[in-house]
Amino acid sequence: MHPLIAILFPLSQSSWRANRSTLSGYFLAGRSIAWWPIGASLFASSEGSGLFIGLAGTGAAGGIAVAGFEWNATYVLLALAWVFVPVYVSSGILTMPEYLQKRFGGERIRMYLSSLSLLLSVFTKISTDLYSGALFVQVCLGWNLYLSTVLMLLVTAIYTIAGGLTAVIYTDALQTLIMVIGAVILTATAFHEIGGHPNLEEAYLSAVPSKTIPNTTCHLPRPDAMHLFRDPLSGDLPWTGMTFGLSVLATWYWCTDQVIVQRSLSAKSLNHAKGGSILASYLKMLPMVLIVMPGMISRILYPDDVGCVDPGECARICGSEVGCSNIAYPKLVMELMPSGLRGLMIAVMMAALMSSLTSVFNSSSALFTMDIWRKVRRGATEKELLAVGRYGGAPRATGGCLDV
């Protein structure tokens, strides 16, 4: 048997095992998911193609401090499982706006939060991930940007509609494996090119483009590039904000966002929810080495492209006058990897994109169906609600595509 089939077959069996003919079965996978798919899905849902592009690009521009956004999640994820999920489970909720209604009373707050979440998912999550993924495909394969966007939407929509949250979670688990393996190979290759980790700091601080802007220092790498905790007054990412301010934002995202909470609510028990959070916490430590540092290496190897500062030169290289650091990861893939492994890295980016998109689609469908449609159609049957949940994601996907 082909090894890929050996992996996919049990996953597909698990995908169909849950009862998808009920709302709980479709949106919460029948509360039957084990800890390891939950942990992998929590990680994959947050590691979209936009994060690969953004983290590597910010690493190329400013060093390792941006990894604080990832590491901050390691302890907030534990708060999710030990503090928040027990409350959500005891409340018997399916969506976060539903919890607010039960906690504070009234339906307006539920409708308001659901509507706001749906708008944000279209204009921030879906459109950003689609653009980043399509940009990567365009750079690597030369495909039309909008054609790439439409194809990715079609593929993700098919298995999200067919399998519900169960299919999304188990697909995320497989895609997490693909992402980690591909990123490890690229990282090892990149470090080999610069002679290993000990040379990273010195080489990065010397990565200056040949064409600079006179009487400015914008072409120089930050001297604190290898500092995770930066000066609270002069640092671009001050340690005070990254430690205290970011924790507030991280608590909102990891403990109250529908995309994340929905995965923990699908656990077969609280212990499995806790195990999933622990696994995700460990996985969130990886982007520092697997994404941020390769972005820095990309600037070292290609300072004239990734580190360009002259507006005209940047426009020629990447079409943006404000800089080309966002091409750091695709540039590394295209220049360092041989043809076969280049295909693997394209699969990595597609896995990252599809994981985040399917997560948003399924969670948005839950919000629209349970918090808005059921309010509009008070007499709707469960069969009708399931149909709305399955096919109601099409308008949001179209909106995200148009926003690109």
Side-chain angles (χ1 to χ4, degrees):
M1 180 183 292
H2 192 281
L4 184 59
I5 297 177
I7 295 173
L8 288 175
F9 182 73
L11 294 184
S12 63
Q13 289 292 98
S14 299
S15 171
W16 291 94
R17 191 181 302 147
N19 183 6
R20 294 172 296 108
S21 61
T22 65
L23 291 172
S24 177
Y26 187 77
F27 290 125
L28 293 181
R31 301 185 189 270
S32 62
I33 306 298
W35 63 273
W36 61 270
I38 291 175
S41 185
L42 286 171
F43 175 74
S45 298
S46 65
E47 300 296 320
S49 55
L51 206 64
F52 270 83
I53 299 293
L55 282 179
T58 307
I64 67 171
V66 68
F69 285 91
E70 297 295 290
W71 284 9
N72 188 276
T74 56
Y75 59 86
V76 179
L77 273 164
L78 301 182
L80 167 67
W82 266 265
V83 178
F84 289 85
V85 170
V87 177
Y88 298 151
V89 171
S90 64
S91 301
I93 62 165
L94 198 148
T95 67
M96 292 309 301
E98 182 182 2
Y99 171 75
L100 288 182
Q101 181 187 14
K102 288 188 174 183
R103 176 65 178 82
F104 298 106
E107 292 188 353
R108 283 183 296 179
I109 189 172
R110 182 175 180 178
M111 290 285 289
Y112 170 76
L113 183 58
S114 296
S115 302
L116 179 62
S117 298
L118 290 173
L119 287 173
L120 289 175
S121 70
V122 171
F123 292 108
T124 62
K125 296 179 180 179
I126 296 176
S127 57
T128 301
D129 282 333
L130 279 176
Y131 175 76
S132 301
L135 179 64
F136 188 89
V137 172
Q138 185 184 42
V139 171
C140 295
L141 301 179
W143 291 7
N144 178 271
L145 187 69
Y146 289 98
L147 174 62
S148 305
T149 301
V150 171
L151 288 176
M152 287 183 289
L153 275 175
L154 286 175
V155 173
T156 53
I158 287 172
Y159 71 81
T160 304
I161 291 172
L165 185 63
T166 311
V168 170
I169 287 180
Y170 279 102
T171 306
D172 282 352
L174 177 61
Q175 289 170 340
T176 296
L177 180 64
I178 295 172
M179 281 191 281
V180 172
I181 291 175
V184 166
I185 293 173
L186 179 63
T187 302
T189 305
F191 272 113
H192 177 74
E193 286 292 315
I194 64 169
H197 181 270
N199 297 328
L200 177 62
E201 181 174 7
E202 181 181 355
Y204 179 80
L205 294 177
S206 303
V208 178
S210 57
K211 191 172 184 179
T212 62
I213 300 176
N215 302 318
T216 66
T217 59
C218 60
H219 58 281
L220 297 175
R222 292 186 61 88
D224 58 357
M226 298 303 292
H227 293 190
L228 188 61
F229 294 96
R230 297 186 176 175
D231 189 273
L233 298 179
S234 61
D236 58 336
L237 295 171
W239 72 266
T240 48
M242 294 294 287
T243 303
F244 302 110
L246 182 59
S247 296
V248 176
L249 179 62
T251 301
W252 163 76
Y253 178 73
W254 290 104
C255 300
T256 68
D257 187 75
Q258 178 69 22
V259 172
I260 301 301
V261 173
Q262 194 170 344
R263 274 133 192 79
S264 295
L265 291 178
S266 69
K268 60 175 65 176
S269 68
L270 276 177
N271 285 336
H272 281 274
K274 292 176 180 178
S277 288
I278 292 173
L279 174 60
S281 294
Y282 279 112
L283 290 173
K284 291 298 283 185
M285 296 179 184
L286 299 179
M288 161 77 93
V289 178
L290 300 185
I291 303 178
V292 177
M293 288 185 177
M296 298 173 67
I297 295 173
S298 185
R299 175 171 180 155
I300 294 170
L301 298 177
Y302 318 107
D304 290 337
D305 294 336
V306 178
C308 73
V309 292
D310 180 76
E313 188 70 8
C314 291
R316 182 187 65 81
I317 294 170
C318 65
S320 172
E321 294 185 353
V322 297
C324 293
S325 60
N326 279 342
I327 69 169
Y329 205 84
K331 182 74 173 177
L332 209 59
V333 170
M334 295 304 296
E335 297 293 338
L336 283 190
M337 307 298 277
S339 298
L341 291 178
R342 195 180 303 162
L344 173 64
M345 291 311 301
I346 294 174
V348 167
M349 292 300 295
M350 292 302 98
L353 170 68
M354 292 168 68
S355 293
S356 57
L357 281 182
T358 53
S359 300
V360 174
F361 287 164
N362 186 266
S363 298
S364 297
S365 293
L367 289 171
F368 180 77
T369 303
M370 304 305 297
D371 298 327
I372 296 179
W373 188 263
R374 198 160 62 171
K375 168 72 173 176
V376 175
R377 292 268 299 168
R378 294 185 180 275
T381 63
E382 188 169 52
K383 184 177 180 180
E384 178 184 338
L385 292 173
L386 279 170
V388 172
R390 281 194 171 98
Y391 304 110
R396 290 182 294 281
T398 304
C401 185
L402 293 176
D403 193 43
V404 172

